[in-house]
């Protein structure tokens, strides 16, 4: 029995060594059943520090890559119509198509089941769980993939939220992200919009774990707030996904710029899933769903039409970038800090 335990420890040490990535803070001890396995400094493993969990061996093997250096991400740029049932049917069909193309994580766009606009939110709002999220749960389980459900108008206790629900390969609801920063802007002569006329903001961070990496969530306007991305990176996220619907004013000016900024600043992959452009809609989405690498490269980008965008997220490349430019270990915590006031 002791020989078996020693063998398992040796295998685990090797797995940990192979999956090290540069990060900001030291790890003093890794333990199995309270016994130290190895001491490592200046490295972090996908955001997980030390643990005394009795099920550590199982969890670390599940959470770390163990040789899986890349996975396929798909973004569905859906043409949203006023008919909710059609939007749901087409979204599920495109999720199945993406799964057949090897996608392991699939994201829908912001307001995928509803036209985007304050007058539509009350009409299309649902509880979670509800019809839309039930269908997403079913298709995630059917395809055995992770589904990031863009967003839908959610009704809860008399309030409305712009909410993203994420489902795992077994159909379980993993996390529910309510848009934190409401889209209230006024660009004279171009666009005025006030989400706060009907929506309430969320008040919590949203991350979920996969066998590939930890993922952080934002919705559209959330991407403008660099602190959110920094907190996600600090918590071990290597991919940030923002379902969003930038418009014909802010889209050409800031859409790609913000994604590349968040990616480079935090050395993470950034993905944005937009609705397809509808010139007849009251709110015209920019489109151009995009995946950006930690180096700031645009790996994949859609046009304006309905389509599915694919990108292979290479975590080995992310680790190399963090090793070459070790900004996490170079931060001046004696001079500045970004503080999360809630867990």
């Amino acid at each position: 029995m002791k020989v078996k335990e020693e063998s398992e420890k040796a295998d685990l040490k090797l797995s940990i060594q192979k999956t090290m990535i540069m990060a900001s803070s030291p790890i003093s001890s890794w333990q199995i059943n309270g016994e130290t396995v190895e001491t490592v400094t200046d490295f972090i493993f996908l955001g997980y520090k030390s643990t005394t969990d009795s099920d550590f061996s199982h969890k670390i093997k599940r959470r770390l890559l163990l040789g899986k250096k890349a996975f396929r991400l798909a973004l569905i740029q859906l043409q949203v119509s006023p008919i909710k049932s059609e939007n749901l049917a087409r979204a599920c069909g495109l999720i199945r198509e993406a799964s057949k193309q090897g996608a392991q994580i699939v994201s829908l766009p912001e307001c995928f089941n509803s036209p985007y606009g304050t007058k539509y939110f009350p009409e299309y709002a649902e509880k979670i769980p509800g019809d839309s999220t039930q269908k997403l749960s079913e298709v995630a389980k059917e395809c055995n993939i992770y589904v990031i459900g863009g967003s839908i108008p959610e009704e809860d206790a008399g309030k409305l939220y712009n909410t993203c629900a994420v489902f795992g390969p077994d159909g379980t609801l993993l996390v529910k992200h309510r848009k934190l920063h409401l889209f209230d802007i006024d660009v004279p002569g171009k666009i005025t919009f006030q989400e706060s006329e009907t929506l309430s903001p969320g008040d919590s961070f949203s991350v979920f774990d996969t066998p590939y990496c930890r993922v952080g969530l934002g919705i559209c306007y959330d991407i403008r707030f660099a602190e959110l991305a920094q907190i996600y990176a600090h918590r071990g996220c290597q991919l940030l996904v923002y379902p969003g619907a930038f418009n014909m004013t802010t889209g050409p000016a800031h859409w790609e710029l913000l994604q590349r900024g968040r990616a480079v600043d935090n050395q993470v992959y950034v993905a944005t899933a937009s609705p397809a452009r509808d010139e007849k809609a009251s709110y015209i989405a920019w489109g151009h769903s995009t995946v950006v690498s930690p180096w700031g490269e645009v790996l994949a980008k859609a046009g304006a039409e309905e389509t599915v965008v694919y990108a292979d997220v290479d975590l080995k490349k992310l680790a190399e970038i963090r090793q070459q430019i070790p900004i996490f270990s170079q931060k001046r915590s004696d001079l500045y800090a970004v503080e999360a006031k809630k867990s």
Side-chain angles (χ1 to χ4, degrees):
M1 185 69 175
K2 185 174 180 59
V3 173
K4 182 179 179 182
E5 288 177 355
E6 292 299 323
S7 176
E8 287 182 351
K9 287 182 185 179
D11 289 344
L12 182 58
K13 284 183 182 181
L14 181 61
S15 297
I16 290 173
Q17 290 167 352
K18 286 181 177 179
T19 52
M20 286 179 176
I21 59 172
M22 186 68 73
S24 57
S25 56
I27 296 171
S28 58
S29 63
W30 282 85
Q31 299 178 328
I32 298 178
N33 297 332
E35 181 181 354
T36 299
V37 175
E38 185 172 358
T39 297
V40 185
T41 303
D42 293 328
F43 287 91
I44 192 168
F45 314 112
L46 304 184
Y48 295 94
K49 296 187 180 179
S50 60
T51 182
T52 56
D53 194 326
S54 62
D55 198 26
F56 175 74
S57 178
H58 167 73
K59 289 186 176 182
I60 199 69
K61 287 178 181 178
R62 177 173 58 84
R63 286 172 173 168
L64 296 182
L65 299 178
L66 299 182
K68 295 181 181 179
K69 298 296 185 183
F71 64 93
R72 175 156 284 196
L73 172 69
L75 308 177
I76 295 175
Q77 186 160 290
L78 185 72
Q79 188 76 62
V80 178
S81 80
I83 304 173
K84 183 188 287 189
S85 60
E86 290 183 1
N87 295 329
L88 291 172
R90 197 158 59 255
C92 290
L94 290 171
I95 289 170
R96 293 185 183 97
E97 177 186 319
S99 175
K100 290 177 182 177
Q101 296 301 316
Q104 291 136 309
I105 300 179
V106 179
S107 180
L108 290 166
E110 182 180 24
C111 277
F112 82 90
N113 74 343
S114 159
Y116 183 79
T118 54
K119 69 178 181 180
Y120 298 110
F121 298 148
E123 178 185 352
Y124 286 77
E126 298 181 17
K127 297 282 189 181
I128 295 178
D131 186 44
S132 295
T133 52
Q134 178 61 32
K135 286 182 169 55
L136 295 185
S137 171
E138 291 169 358
V139 76
K141 185 175 182 179
E142 173 191 332
C143 297
N144 193 35
I145 60 172
Y146 291 86
V147 172
I148 300 171
S151 79
I152 65 170
E154 177 201 9
E155 190 278 321
D156 183 34
K159 292 185 177 181
L160 299 179
Y161 301 92
N162 190 343
T163 303
C164 175
V166 179
F167 296 91
D170 62 354
T172 300
L173 176 65
L174 300 179
V175 70
K176 186 172 72 170
H177 179 76
R178 289 171 171 168
K179 191 174 187 175
L180 300 176
H181 306 91
L182 297 184
F183 183 52
D184 288 2
I185 69 164
D186 181 14
V187 182
K190 294 187 177 180
I191 181 171
T192 298
F193 201 95
Q194 299 286 319
E195 270 191 329
S196 62
E197 289 179 359
T198 54
L199 298 180
S200 295
D203 62 0
S204 61
F205 303 107
S206 303
V207 302
F208 66 96
D209 293 316
T210 75
Y212 322 114
C213 70
R214 176 171 281 191
V215 183
L217 295 173
I219 297 175
C220 199
Y221 202 53
D222 286 340
I223 199 173
R224 289 189 179 271
F225 299 86
E227 298 87 349
L228 177 61
Q230 290 173 46
I231 288 167
Y232 282 156
H234 181 71
R235 293 185 176 189
C237 296
Q238 294 177 293
L239 168 65
L240 306 183
V241 180
Y242 297 89
F246 274 42
N247 53 71
M248 300 300 288
T249 298
T250 60
H254 302 146
W255 178 248
E256 183 179 308
L257 175 67
L258 286 165
Q259 295 170 65
R260 296 180 72 186
R262 296 296 86 84
V264 172
D265 283 351
N266 300 288
Q267 295 179 326
V268 294
Y269 285 88
V270 172
T272 54
S274 170
R277 191 178 304 171
D278 180 358
E279 300 284 356
K280 298 177 182 178
S282 57
Y283 180 95
I284 304 174
W286 173 239
H288 297 287
S289 300
T290 306
V291 182
V292 178
S293 80
W295 194 255
E297 305 162 295
V298 175
L299 301 180
K301 183 166 70 171
E305 71 288 345
E306 180 172 277
T307 189
V308 181
V309 175
Y310 299 93
D312 292 323
V313 175
D314 186 348
L315 298 172
K316 181 180 178 182
K317 179 68 173 176
L318 181 148
E320 290 172 354
I321 291 168
R322 291 185 175 186
Q323 197 165 22
Q324 293 162 4
I325 306 178
I327 59 173
F328 292 107
S329 62
Q330 295 170 334
K331 288 183 183 293
R332 292 293 304 275
S333 57
D334 57 324
L335 295 177
Y336 54 78
V338 174
E339 178 188 4
K341 295 189 176 182
K342 294 190 69 174
S343 61

